[in-house]
Amino acid sequence: MSLETQILSQLKAAREASRTLALCPTARKNAALMSLAKTLRTNAHSILEANRKDLEVAKDSGKTGAFLERLTLNDARIAAMAKSVEEVAALPDPVGEVIEEWSRPNGLKIRKVRVPLGVIAIVYESRPNVTIDAGVLTVKSGNAVVLRGGKESLVTNSMLAGMLKQSLKEAGIDPSAVAFIDTPDREAIQILKRHPEAIDLIIPRGGGSLKEALAGSAVPLLPHFDGICHTYVDRAADLKMAEEISFNAKVSRPSVCNAMETLLVHREIAPKFLPAMAKRLTTAGVELRGDDAACALVPEIKHATDEDWDTEYLDLILSVKIVDSIGEAIAFIAHHGSGLADAIVTEDASAAARFEAEVDSATVYVNASTRFTDGFEFGFGAETGISTNRLHARGPMGLRELTTYKYVVRGHGQIRT
């Protein structure tokens, strides 16, 4: 049997399961999720053992640094996964929600009702928690899901997907609603992208190679790609607050997409702010790369290249630029940013309002770290990704972002003349 035949068989079963899942009572879906949370906790040791095998393979293949950090599970991360499953279970079910309703002069009553998208494929790389996050959000929102993780996390992902399928089965839900693509062959991605009759949406989470692999997809994409995030320290910033926010945005977890990659500092406050900030960052292991003005203030900073301003490091590396105005900062973000998350630190209300209005990113922050761009932090329980698209969904994608709507129209015999 060819790989395409195998995958199409799974897609067909997922399509059939999606029709019943769309009508599944909320209580049954929640029962499956609560069972999964319990399974994750009671099987933490087995999950860690599977993850250890993946880590060994990744290390043997030369993977290092940020990649391994994203791949690694530990007790705290498994506990966080279980908690996120419970939080999704506790959220309102979006399916069947009446978004709005109205009546027409001819007596027709129109309701705009939220419904599942259908079959969603999530194509992701090295983070095994995505298997759980994507799985529980799609199930709760009434969608079947096709999970295709990276080859480096194959053992862990396979175990986690199996736990999700078993939890569905125990709750009386067709486990075919979760299809796990267990081959490392990248041809699987090519197969998925050419079958719009079987898949309604692909959500890719990864870097440039995944973007290239999905080019020309016949299935609509809702991508989660680059996260080139900026923090702008304004002339009117509280410098202590700016230091704490900037440090958190870069150092708390540099390997994720909502970490800061470029620090912009207003020229007026740079002499007071940047030397101490640079010392704290370098002490934490951050390599700094700056423009001429930044290097003049802190000689230890390496000179940045043009490429640095457009690089998502996903590591303890930070670009630093001195700007003359908020306008220059906004223009720089527009030119170099990826539209995922950008922040201003300021006590000037007019500067904050201008930044909010003019920075066209999925999430815009005033006096807070970009690290909050996350479905869990937004109260969504989890996320399937962070969209920088303008159509359908933008920012962290939770339950509502995995639905569409239909119009339900009731009449009493009306005909159009």
Side-chain angles (χ1 to χ4, degrees):
M1 184 185 295
S2 70
L3 179 60
E4 183 151 13
T5 300
Q6 294 176 40
I7 291 176
L8 284 176
S9 176
Q10 288 182 277
L11 297 182
K12 181 179 179 181
R15 174 65 77 191
E16 290 297 318
S18 73
R19 297 189 176 98
T20 57
L21 183 56
L23 304 175
C24 188
T26 302
R28 189 179 300 171
K29 292 187 287 187
N30 286 344
L33 299 191
M34 295 305 290
S35 173
L36 174 62
K38 181 179 179 180
T39 299
L40 290 171
R41 288 193 174 96
T42 57
N43 290 278
H45 178 77
S46 298
I47 297 169
L48 291 176
E49 180 60 24
N51 188 240
R52 185 188 63 78
K53 294 177 181 177
D54 283 329
L55 285 166
E56 287 179 357
V57 173
K59 290 173 183 176
D60 289 344
S61 66
K63 301 295 184 183
T64 59
F67 187 97
L68 293 180
E69 195 278 336
R70 291 194 299 273
L71 176 59
T72 301
L73 292 179
N74 53 38
D75 287 326
R77 289 184 179 180
I78 293 174
M81 286 163 56
K83 184 179 179 184
S84 74
V85 174
E86 292 169 338
E87 293 209 357
V88 171
L91 291 172
D93 190 340
V95 180
E97 174 190 345
V98 178
I99 301 170
E100 56 183 315
E101 56 186 324
W102 64 95
S103 297
R104 298 293 296 146
N106 60 6
L108 289 177
K109 296 184 183 299
I110 304 174
R111 287 182 297 144
K112 189 177 184 180
V113 181
R114 201 176 293 282
V115 297
L117 285 166
V119 179
I120 302 173
I122 317 287
V123 182
Y124 51 106
E125 294 184 342
S126 61
R127 292 176 62 186
N129 66 291
V130 176
T131 301
I132 296 299
D133 289 350
V136 300
L137 286 169
T138 48
V139 167
K140 179 68 180 267
S141 57
N143 296 286
V145 63
V146 181
L147 298 166
R148 200 286 182 178
K151 64 181 180 180
E152 293 84 5
S153 52
L154 188 59
V155 178
T156 312
N157 286 339
S158 180
M159 176 175 287
L160 294 173
M163 291 176 177
L164 177 57
K165 289 172 74 72
Q166 182 60 32
S167 296
L168 293 185
K169 185 177 180 180
E170 291 172 0
I173 300 172
D174 186 350
S176 298
V178 175
F180 179 70
I181 308 301
D182 61 1
T183 174
D185 191 338
R186 289 185 70 84
E187 176 60 21
I189 297 175
Q190 302 305 310
I191 294 168
L192 295 177
K193 79 178 190 181
R194 60 177 176 251
H195 286 286
E197 79 287 353
I199 301 172
D200 297 293
L201 180 69
I202 295 176
I203 300 177
R205 295 185 58 165
S209 62
L210 181 55
K211 185 185 297 186
E212 292 172 8
L214 285 165
S217 175
V219 180
L221 301 178
L222 191 54
H224 172 144
F225 286 135
D226 299 333
I228 302 176
C229 304
H230 301 75
T231 300
Y232 164 56
V233 181
D234 185 47
R235 63 191 294 187
D238 177 318
L239 297 189
K240 181 59 178 174
M241 179 191 293
E243 181 181 322
E244 294 301 322
I245 288 173
S246 299
F247 188 82
N248 177 264
K250 180 72 257 183
V251 177
S252 66
R253 198 173 177 197
S255 67
V256 294
C257 65
N258 55 27
M260 171 179 64
E261 304 292 18
T262 299
L263 176 65
L264 304 173
V265 183
H266 195 286
R267 190 174 300 277
E268 285 187 24
I269 56 91
K272 292 183 288 185
F273 174 74
L274 191 55
M277 184 77 257
K279 182 177 180 180
R280 184 174 178 186
L281 288 166
T282 53
T283 300
V286 179
E287 177 188 318
L288 300 177
R289 302 176 183 179
D291 65 355
D292 290 343
C295 292
L297 283 173
V298 185
E300 295 78 15
I301 296 178
K302 296 181 179 180
H303 281 273
T305 66
D306 290 341
E307 184 181 356
D308 282 310
W309 310 121
D310 299 307
T311 298
E312 183 183 21
Y313 299 115
L314 298 174
D315 206 347
L316 287 172
I317 304 171
L318 179 68
S319 299
V320 183
K321 181 174 178 60
I322 308 298
V323 295
D324 290 323
S325 66
I326 185 174
E328 184 182 349
I330 291 170
F332 186 91
I333 291 169
H335 183 69
H336 297 283
S338 62
L340 190 139
D342 297 289
I344 182 175
V345 184
T346 187
E347 297 297 297
D348 182 340
S350 63
R354 180 180 178 187
F355 194 87
E356 288 176 332
E358 295 186 26
V359 173
D360 186 22
S361 295
T363 51
V364 179
Y365 292 87
V366 175
N367 296 332
S369 169
T370 57
R371 287 280 288 110
F372 285 104
T373 299
D374 175 86
F376 185 83
E377 294 293 341
F378 274 33
F380 299 165
E383 68 185 34
T384 53
I386 301 169
S387 169
T388 54
N389 268 16
R390 287 173 173 78
L391 297 179
H392 176 67
R394 202 174 188 200
M397 293 181 286
L399 292 172
R400 286 187 173 87
E401 287 70 35
L402 299 182
T403 63
T404 182
Y405 55 81
K406 65 182 177 184
Y407 291 101
V408 178
V409 185
R410 289 195 176 185
H412 49 269
Q414 291 93 329
I415 60 172
R416 182 170 177 175
T417 59

